[in-house]
Amino acid sequence: MSTSQGFYRSRIAGTGSYLPEKVLTNKDLEKLVETNDEWIRERTGIVHRHIVAEGEYTSDIALKASHMALEQAHKKASDIDMILFATVSPDQVMPNTACVLQEKLGARDCMAVDISAACTGFVYAMTIADQFIKTGMYKTILVVGAEVLHKYVDYTDRDTCILFGDGGGAAVVTRATDDQDSYVYSSHCHADGSIGDLFVLPAGGSKMPFTQQVLDEKSQYVRMKGREIFKHAVRTMSQCCDEALKANNITPDDVAWVIPHQANVRIIEAVAKHFGIPMDKVVVEIEDMGNTSAATVIVAMDKAIKDGRIQRGQNILLTAFGAGITSGSLLLRY
Ligand code: UT7
């Protein structure tokens, strides 16, 4: 469908998701650090997370999710014009994981790039996909959010190791036709590097290449100021959602489902309260997967589509925040 400005509209034609088989429960974590199931459930909402098997990589998770998304969209790998792969846990630094996925999928020569925006990665990637469809440059874009985060977590640090897990999801974004009541309204992305030190993974880049000292100081693992991130998470996601609703003259009552980044159920509840949106209109899947960074929003969305909560024609509001600090929202008519 072309808009009044002469652009095309993009829509999500299919989704897929995959969580690895192996599960790490709160009880398992009790054996590793001084914590307990009750504390983790009450403070985060997490009961277990999924962990990849030996030899299973971020691209493998993405491959499974992408096959499902392509099937639902009635598209073949050869139809893909671009692959956008949101991740902070790529298979390796180079080549990018989008190219690895292209090869595994058997997709043809196309633009394939990783998007690094931490937990906001999927919303950022969807925003980029939407623009490429709007201009008419591409017709079919594979947008992935997938992570293997457990390898970046110090299992002696109870502040972080209880939170993160592995998993991924994919969406096939296509040009909407005139008869489809299904499109992206708008997206609203932000970044505030001035508070970037709240959540970091210090080593592995050119600033701190791997040395024995890095390993001794455990700088290959994430470091987080949890309480401060909590406040910024509520503030930024609330602001991004406000923007999305205002830009489209839509009220919270017009929104069927909010799908927030699944980092902590208390953050999600605070954002819902900000809008006066009841929790039964919020997709919460954190119990089963923990924080899977760029994957949470698309995995939660896919689960809600597959179990029938999300229906075609509904207004869906995606929102996320993450290291950077990045944040964003994307309002769509599914
Ligand atoms: O995608 C973005 C990634 N990061 C986040 O989203 C993190 C956002 N922040 C959070 O989710 C929460 O701040 C946490 C779950 C990380 C922590 O919850 P909190 O309610 O903010 O706890 P707290 O840091 O204020 O700690 C409260 C108490 C402390 O003990 P004292 O000082 O009151 O005696 C902690 O030492 O809980 C203690 N504590 C734990 N106890 C049992 C901290 N971690 C644990 C633990 N098990 N795993």
Side-chain angles (χ1 to χ4, degrees):
M1 181 190 286
S2 54
T3 67
S4 52
Q5 293 93 25
F7 293 122
Y8 297 101
R9 279 177 159 174
S10 71
R11 71 186 289 260
I12 291 184
T15 60
S17 63
Y18 172 74
L19 297 173
E21 276 173 36
K22 190 176 163 194
V23 160
L24 186 67
T25 66
N26 291 349
K27 292 278 178 200
D28 294 330
L29 289 167
E30 285 179 5
K31 294 173 202 147
L32 301 175
V33 286
E34 201 183 325
T35 190
N36 59 77
D37 178 46
E38 192 188 350
W39 191 96
I40 301 173
R41 280 177 197 251
E42 275 179 12
R43 298 289 181 125
T44 70
I46 302 167
V47 177
H48 50 253
R49 325 99 194 102
H50 296 252
I51 303 291
V52 287
E54 197 58 41
E56 190 178 24
Y57 307 117
T58 307
S59 59
D60 298 314
I61 292 174
L63 182 65
K64 289 194 167 89
S66 299
H67 278 310
M68 291 178 215
L70 286 165
E71 193 185 335
Q72 192 194 337
H74 304 295
K75 294 282 181 191
K76 299 186 292 295
S78 56
D79 295 322
I80 297 169
D81 297 319
M82 174 162 76
I83 300 172
L84 296 172
F85 198 127
T87 187
V88 284
S89 49
D91 286 9
Q92 66 264 307
V93 173
M94 199 172 69
N96 71 33
T97 315
C99 287
V100 177
L101 179 63
Q102 177 207 27
E103 163 65 14
K104 288 187 177 179
L105 273 170
R108 61 179 165 80
D109 175 11
C110 67
M111 181 171 159
V113 65
D114 288 3
I115 307 294
S116 175
C119 309
T120 319
F122 182 75
V123 173
Y124 266 48
M126 279 294 300
T127 300
I128 297 166
D130 180 46
Q131 296 303 314
F132 273 91
I133 299 273
K134 271 195 176 128
T135 60
M137 179 127 178
Y138 293 136
K139 283 185 182 166
T140 304
I141 300 174
L142 179 64
V143 182
V144 174
E147 306 279 7
V148 173
L149 287 180
H150 91 273
K151 297 201 179 166
Y152 298 91
V153 168
D154 175 5
Y155 282 96
T156 65
D157 174 16
R158 71 176 183 175
D159 290 344
T160 53
C161 77
I162 57 153
L163 297 173
F164 300 101
D166 307 339
V172 173
V173 181
T174 59
R175 185 191 288 181
T177 56
D178 285 342
D179 58 341
Q180 285 170 328
D181 183 29
S182 165
Y183 49 85
V184 170
Y185 285 96
S186 66
S187 62
H188 307 268
C189 291
H190 298 274
D192 182 358
S194 71
I195 46 174
D197 63 335
L198 295 181
F199 189 25
V200 295
L201 201 167
S206 58
K207 184 178 168 187
M208 197 187 287
F210 286 113
T211 58
Q212 189 55 49
Q213 189 184 349
V214 162
L215 301 181
D216 292 343
E217 291 171 358
K218 297 186 172 184
S219 297
Q220 75 275 32
Y221 297 129
V222 291
R223 290 180 191 160
M224 187 186 75
K225 293 178 184 154
R227 235 177 290 179
E228 283 170 69
I229 291 185
F230 192 112
K231 282 183 275 179
H232 289 295
V234 176
R235 176 182 59 81
T236 55
M237 286 202 289
S238 299
Q239 283 172 357
C240 291
C241 291
D242 280 340
E243 264 183 276
L245 297 183
K246 202 169 162 202
N248 297 287
N249 206 14
I250 278 179
T251 69
D253 287 345
D254 300 325
V255 176
W257 293 101
V258 179
I259 311 177
H261 172 42
Q262 317 275 307
N264 185 319
V265 74
R266 291 185 295 133
I267 294 174
I268 295 172
E269 285 164 355
V271 174
K273 194 172 164 197
H274 171 85
F275 287 112
I277 286 186
M279 282 301 286
D280 59 10
K281 284 173 73 176
V282 182
V283 178
V284 182
E285 292 292 332
I286 192 169
E287 179 179 316
D288 177 45
M289 65 170 166
N291 185 343
T292 56
S293 192
T296 71
V297 169
I298 180 58
V299 172
M301 182 174 187
D302 181 57
K303 281 174 176 278
I305 289 169
K306 298 287 150 62
D307 68 19
R309 274 175 287 173
I310 292 180
Q311 300 283 327
R312 286 286 177 195
Q314 289 179 331
N315 290 330
I316 313 290
L317 181 57
L318 315 182
T319 186
F321 76 96
I325 296 290
T326 56
S327 58
S329 66
L330 185 135
L331 183 66
L332 62 92
R333 193 165 186 82
Y334 180 68

